[in-house]
């Protein structure tokens, strides 16, 4: 864990942050205000950044790698809600605003690097910058809409249809996601996913 100004790759990290979907509208002055609040963390595959049920939450800006948002029940059955890669963000902003525990976990699918800060600090920053807050809240709502559409898709489309929809919407992730993770997201077994590919149905 390192502050940006002391990180050996700080120049690259600053460029990555400037292209993040939640930060790209920021002015240099706003970025200079935000940067001291951020720490950079390198994470291993399978590492949890946020655990479902906790109250202490953070805001994440993805610099490298892929994260997943996943919800589980008491029987340890899990459902992947979304993937996010470089240039995107992850958050539990809605839960923080509502004062409820984190409703899902955020886990590294691959090795990853994120810039993060406590959600309370991020919210304080947003309240000082309404234009950034508006763009950020739009992104949060977009994620929620995409998750709802994905959940409906699992019920309405057959297996080939679910795979084709994913490939159409997220072609950049096809070769980067472990097949087991992609199959889980689509509510398929890894064997079924492989069989669909071998038979030319996707």
């Amino acid at each position: 864990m390192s502050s940006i100004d002391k990180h050996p790759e700080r120049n690259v990290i600053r460029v990555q942050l400037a292209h993040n979907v939640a930060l790209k509208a920021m002015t240099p002055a706003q970025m200079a205000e935000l940067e001291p609040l951020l720490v950079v963390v390198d994470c291993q595959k399978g590492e949890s950044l946020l655990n479902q049920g906790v109250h202490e939450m953070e805001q994440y800006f993805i610099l490298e790698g892929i994260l997943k948002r996943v919800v589980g029940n008491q029987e340890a059955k899990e459902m992947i809600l979304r993937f996010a890669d470089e240039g995107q963000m992850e958050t539990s902003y809605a839960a923080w605003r509502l004062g409820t525990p984190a409703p899902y976990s955020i886990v590294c699918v691959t090795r990853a690097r994120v810039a993060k800060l406590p959600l309370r600090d991020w919210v304080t920053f947003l309240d000082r910058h309404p234009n950034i807050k508006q763009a950020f809240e739009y992104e949060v709502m977009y994620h929620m809409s995409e998750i709802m559409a994905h959940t409906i898709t699992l019920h309405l489309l057959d297996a080939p249809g679910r795979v084709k929809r994913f490939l159409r919407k997220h072609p950049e992730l096809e070769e980067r996601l472990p097949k087991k993770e992609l199959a889980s997201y689509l509510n398929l077994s890894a064997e079924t996913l492989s069989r669909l590919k071998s038979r030319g149905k996707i």
Side-chain angles (χ1 to χ4, degrees):
M1 193 179 303
S2 172
S3 61
I4 292 174
D5 67 327
K6 294 180 180 176
H7 199 284
E9 297 178 49
R10 56 187 172 274
N11 292 333
V12 172
I13 289 169
R14 284 170 177 146
V15 171
Q16 291 170 324
L17 287 172
H19 288 90
N20 188 277
V21 65
L23 305 178
K24 60 186 179 183
M26 290 178 62
T27 65
Q30 289 170 329
M31 190 64 82
E33 181 184 341
L34 177 64
E35 185 178 301
L37 303 175
L38 296 169
V39 293
V40 177
V41 183
D42 289 303
C43 313
Q44 298 301 311
K45 178 180 177 180
E47 185 174 340
S48 292
L49 294 175
L50 175 75
N51 291 310
Q52 184 176 333
V54 303
H55 285 269
E56 286 296 318
M57 306 179 206
E58 296 175 308
Q59 171 68 27
Y60 307 98
F61 304 105
I62 307 168
L63 306 175
E64 298 173 15
I66 304 173
L67 309 183
K68 64 180 177 180
R69 186 184 294 192
V70 59
V71 62
N73 63 15
Q74 293 181 337
E75 288 74 44
K77 184 176 176 60
E78 292 187 340
M79 178 181 180
I80 299 173
L81 302 177
R82 71 182 294 258
F83 296 108
D85 62 354
E86 299 90 351
Q88 298 188 44
M89 64 162 202
E90 257 302 356
T91 189
S92 48
Y93 176 76
W96 195 92
R97 280 293 197 190
L98 292 169
T100 57
Y104 43 74
S105 299
I106 297 172
V107 181
C108 298
V109 176
T110 64
R111 292 185 64 176
R113 173 177 286 175
V114 302
K116 68 175 187 173
L117 75 163
L119 253 176
R120 62 181 176 276
D121 294 342
W122 175 236
V123 170
T124 299
F125 177 87
L126 291 177
D127 288 342
R128 292 197 297 269
H129 302 285
N131 65 315
I132 305 302
K133 181 177 182 178
Q134 183 178 13
F136 171 76
E137 290 186 340
Y138 173 86
E139 198 66 24
V140 171
M141 289 186 287
Y142 177 75
H143 292 170
M144 294 171 72
S145 175
E146 284 289 292
I147 289 169
M148 180 66 71
H150 167 63
T151 304
I152 292 169
T153 293
L154 294 181
H155 293 280
L156 296 185
L157 295 183
D158 61 10
R162 290 188 301 239
V163 179
K164 288 175 182 176
R165 180 181 183 275
F166 177 84
L167 297 179
R168 185 178 71 252
K169 294 186 71 67
H170 305 285
E172 76 284 357
L173 292 178
E174 178 185 4
E175 298 301 324
R176 299 182 62 202
L177 282 174
K179 295 300 180 283
K180 181 181 177 183
E181 298 280 2
L182 177 56
S184 177
Y185 177 71
L186 298 173
N187 198 26
L188 302 170
S189 68
E191 292 75 19
T192 297
L193 183 61
S194 295
R195 189 163 58 248
L196 289 171
K197 283 197 171 188
S198 65
R199 292 179 180 175
K201 294 191 175 183
I202 54 176

